[in-house]
């Protein structure tokens, strides 16, 4: 019988991991019945200090500890199989989601990465224009066609590989020093490097969204939460550009604004204003750290509103 490893990466996710695992285990049973395979779940605890592990073990899901961020958690959970499934611990999924992912990978050996459609849950701050704008932006998939990259919230991948710290350090030695960019640190965002490496090696057709399944996630709802998320992604995009220039800038966006409603257009404009504020804040912070000697802040603070 084919065994498909499923790694759930968790860092202090006690608020979310129970619902996540409940939905994933239902989806795993659906996939096992439909495809005659076995899903092997594992929760990797990334420097976790709360009850995440106990919650997982109470549901019969084994755990393993790791340190150094999400990419290192994935590395710790990587196991032999025809492909690996990786999930964040703060999502929920539809019952047919793992079936759709596994069927896509089993039916097409050339497919390297399969991802399900992703949907934001309704914001808690429904009265807040920015919260509504961020929800609309995510619900409309960024108002763009995103065909050359994937989101790392849940995906199936045939050949997961992210360079280890030693290779990154060797490449970083050739770059100008930057306290803000911190080129020598291990990679922390999985989908940036993996998307580019997959497209570089196999072409954009090697990444495909499934027709079935669904992932629900909670998007940021405040300017502070949006900035923390923006800073994470922007920093990793710039580090990947510098460390792996041979992969090219593959995260292309094609705007899709025709035919949207007036309310959606207003939400998009609100999002654009907030994004401009994030860009200004990011550039100011980078200048203060690299040019003025300000201590660099934690680039990976928790975004509690997304749990």
């Amino acid at each position: 019988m084919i065994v498909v490893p499923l790694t759930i990466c968790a860092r202090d996710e006690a608020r979310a991991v129970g619902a996540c695992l409940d939905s994933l285990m239902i989806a795993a049973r659906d996939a096992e019945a439909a495809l005659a395979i076995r899903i092997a779940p594992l929760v990797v605890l990334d420097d976790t200090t709360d009850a995440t592990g106990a919650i997982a073990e109470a549901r019969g899901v084994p755990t393993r500890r790791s340190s150094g961020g999400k990419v290192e958690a994935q590395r710790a959970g990587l196991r032999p199989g025809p492909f690996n499934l990786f999930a964040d611990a703060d999502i929920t999924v539809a019952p047919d989601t793992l079936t759709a992912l596994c069927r896509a990978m089993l039916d097409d050996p050339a497919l390297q990465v399969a991802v399900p459609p992703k949907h934001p849950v309704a914001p808690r701050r429904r009265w807040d224009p920015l919260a509504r704008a961020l929800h609309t932006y995510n619900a409309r998939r960024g108002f763009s066609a995103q065909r050359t990259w994937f989101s790392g919230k849940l995906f199936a991948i045939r050949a997961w590989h992210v360079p280890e710290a030693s290779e990154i350090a060797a490449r970083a030695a050739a770059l100008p020093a930057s306290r803000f960019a911190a080129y020598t640190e291990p990679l922390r965002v999985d989908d940036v490097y993996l998307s580019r490496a997959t497209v570089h090696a196999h072409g954009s057709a090697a990444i495909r969204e499934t027709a079935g399944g669904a992932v629900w996630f909670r998007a940021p709802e405040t300017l502070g939460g949006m900035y923390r998320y923006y800073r994470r992604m922007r920093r990793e995009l710039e580090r990947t550009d510098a460390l792996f220039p041979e992969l090219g800038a593959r995260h292309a966006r094609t705007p899709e604004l025709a035919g949207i409603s007036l309310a959606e257009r207003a939400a998009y404009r609100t999002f654009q204003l907030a994004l401009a504020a994030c860009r200004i804040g990011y550039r100011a912070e980078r200048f203060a750290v690299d040019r003025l000697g300000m201590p660099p802040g934690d680039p990976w603070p928790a975004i509690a509103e997304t749990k």
Side-chain angles (χ1 to χ4, degrees):
M1 176 179 288
I2 294 175
V3 178
V4 178
L6 166 61
T7 298
I8 302 99
C9 302
R11 181 173 187 177
D12 292 339
E13 297 286 6
R15 294 175 60 187
V17 72
C20 174
L21 291 177
D22 289 345
S23 68
L24 283 171
M25 293 308 98
I26 291 171
R29 290 194 290 271
D30 185 288
E32 291 172 343
L35 303 174
I37 62 176
R38 184 167 73 83
I39 304 291
L42 171 69
V43 173
V44 177
L45 306 170
D46 170 29
D47 291 320
T48 296
T49 60
D50 67 4
T52 300
I55 294 169
E57 290 165 2
R59 285 164 166 77
V61 180
T63 64
R64 180 180 299 170
R65 290 198 169 269
S66 74
S67 182
K70 182 177 175 181
V71 167
E72 296 310 311
Q74 291 175 335
R75 198 186 309 278
L78 190 67
R79 286 158 286 161
F83 51 88
N84 274 251
L85 299 165
F86 291 100
D88 287 356
D90 56 0
I91 62 169
T92 56
V93 304
D96 64 336
T97 302
L98 297 186
T99 302
L101 286 175
C102 293
R103 178 174 283 128
M105 298 295 281
L106 292 169
D107 287 351
D108 184 358
L111 182 64
Q112 299 300 307
V113 176
V115 295
K118 297 176 179 66
H119 310 286
V121 299
R124 298 185 182 99
R125 301 161 59 92
R126 296 170 186 261
W127 50 268
D128 188 321
L130 180 57
R132 293 199 305 270
L134 290 168
H135 177 266
T136 302
Y137 179 82
N138 283 283
R140 289 295 303 232
R141 301 163 62 84
F143 291 97
S144 63
Q146 301 169 356
R147 304 189 186 279
T148 60
W149 65 288
F150 67 92
S151 168
K153 296 183 183 302
L154 172 64
F155 61 98
I157 187 166
R158 203 170 296 281
W160 186 97
H161 170 74
V162 176
E164 296 189 5
S166 58
E167 181 181 345
I168 292 170
R171 286 173 173 258
L175 297 174
S178 169
R179 298 167 70 228
F180 184 79
Y183 293 121
T184 58
E185 289 185 3
L187 296 182
R188 299 286 294 266
V189 174
D190 57 342
D191 45 6
V192 173
Y193 177 85
L194 289 171
S195 293
R196 293 187 182 187
T198 299
V199 172
H200 179 73
H202 303 281
S204 59
I207 300 174
R208 184 187 310 157
E209 184 175 272
T210 61
V215 168
W216 289 280
F217 67 98
R218 190 170 290 283
E221 298 183 17
T222 67
L223 184 60
M226 180 182 178
Y227 178 68
R228 288 185 171 190
Y229 185 84
Y230 175 85
R231 182 171 60 171
R232 289 180 180 182
M233 296 302 300
R234 187 71 254 157
R235 183 171 175 266
E236 284 302 275
L237 285 166
E238 291 173 357
R239 292 178 70 221
T240 305
D241 285 344
L243 289 166
F244 304 97
E246 71 274 15
L247 299 183
R250 301 285 183 170
H251 292 60
R253 289 179 179 270
T254 304
E256 290 183 333
L257 298 176
I260 67 174
S261 68
L262 288 176
E264 288 174 326
R265 192 172 293 276
Y268 180 70
R269 297 306 177 197
T270 300
F271 172 84
Q272 290 289 87
L273 288 173
L275 182 61
C278 289
R279 287 171 174 158
I280 292 169
Y282 180 82
R283 290 170 182 169
E285 184 179 356
R286 183 172 58 186
F287 179 85
V289 171
D290 277 340
R291 301 294 182 88
L292 303 181
M294 186 183 80
D298 178 7
W300 302 99
I303 307 176
E305 64 203 68
T306 64
K307 309 305 179 187

